[in-house]
């Protein structure tokens, strides 16, 4: 299985989780030539920009460990572009 297909499956699980918990999916895999957002969802009049990170195990750290300051800045930039 490729990293792309693994990531796609992880995004599908994230989408199902969000829907189950009352989120409305606005867009998936939104991208421009400068940035991308995995999932854009809304819940209780709030919009959420979601980055999906999958790890087979925690030997190299959790998904949260990969949301660096740089990635947070990229997400802010992408959210403003959206």
């Amino acid at each position: 299985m490729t990293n792309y297909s693994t990531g796609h499956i992880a995004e599908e699980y994230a989408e199902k989780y969000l829907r189950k918990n009352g989120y409305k999916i606005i867009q998936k895999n939104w991208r421009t030539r400068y940035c991308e957002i995995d999932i854009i969802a809304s819940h209780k009049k709030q919009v959420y920009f979601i980055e999906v990170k999958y790890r087979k195990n925690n030997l190299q750290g959790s998904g949260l460990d990969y949301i660096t300051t740089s990635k947070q800045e990229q997400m802010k930039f992408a959210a403003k572009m959206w």
Side-chain angles (χ1 to χ4, degrees):
M1 187 174 292
T2 65
N3 286 346
Y4 176 80
S5 61
T6 301
H8 183 72
I9 291 168
E11 288 174 6
E12 287 177 356
Y13 277 106
E15 178 186 356
K16 287 178 187 176
Y17 174 86
L18 291 166
R19 286 185 192 278
K20 181 180 173 185
N21 287 282
Y23 290 76
K24 178 184 174 211
I25 304 302
I26 298 171
Q27 238 174 331
K28 291 175 18 181
N29 298 308
W30 178 86
R31 59 185 84 239
T32 71
R33 71 185 278 193
Y34 305 107
C35 57
E36 60 93 16
I37 301 172
D38 293 333
I39 300 173
I40 303 168
S42 64
H43 184 64
K44 297 183 180 178
K45 299 181 181 181
Q46 184 73 38
V47 176
Y48 295 87
F49 299 92
I50 300 154
E51 174 73 13
V52 177
K53 293 289 188 190
Y54 171 80
R55 296 291 173 262
K56 190 173 186 177
N57 56 51
N58 285 338
L59 293 176
Q60 295 178 338
S62 73
L64 284 176
D65 294 329
Y66 287 83
I67 307 293
T68 62
T69 302
S70 173
K71 184 60 182 177
Q72 289 174 15
E73 291 301 318
Q74 289 174 358
M75 290 292 292
K76 278 196 254 184
F77 175 77
K80 288 177 184 177
M81 295 238 357
W82 182 79

